[in-house]
Amino acid sequence: MIEAGAVRGVPRDLARALVTQVLTGSAAWLRAGRREVATLREKVCAPGGADIRRIAALDRHGVRAAVVSALGDAPPGLSPR
């Protein structure tokens, strides 16, 4: 996310601060209760808006599948029971 900002001319220190705020806010929202990520996405992303288009681009590039695959072999202590 920082790199995407830098590519678009956002100074790296500002991009880092913005990304940190996005991740901090998302984590706090999830920590606040038993909420699904999909609910946060629905609250933040307007239908047809820039954010949902960005998520669609990540899906087209297989980012979600790559993350799931990379984390699929969790250590035994982290596996669901």
Side-chain angles (χ1 to χ4, degrees):
M1 291 169 64
I2 294 168
E3 192 63 28
V7 166
R8 285 162 182 76
V10 177
R12 284 188 182 273
D13 59 339
L14 176 57
R16 181 183 175 93
L18 293 171
V19 169
T20 300
Q21 286 300 317
V22 166
L23 297 175
T24 300
S26 297
W29 190 88
L30 290 169
R31 197 177 310 114
R34 295 195 179 273
R35 300 173 177 169
E36 295 295 324
V37 174
T39 304
L40 176 59
R41 183 175 49 242
E42 290 168 6
K43 290 185 173 292
V44 173
C45 298
D51 291 330
I52 200 66
R53 289 195 314 268
R54 290 178 180 119
I55 290 171
L58 292 171
D59 286 344
R60 281 193 306 277
H61 291 284
V63 172
R64 185 187 321 228
V67 171
V68 170
S69 176
L71 299 176
D73 294 327
L78 297 178
S79 298
R81 295 175 198 248

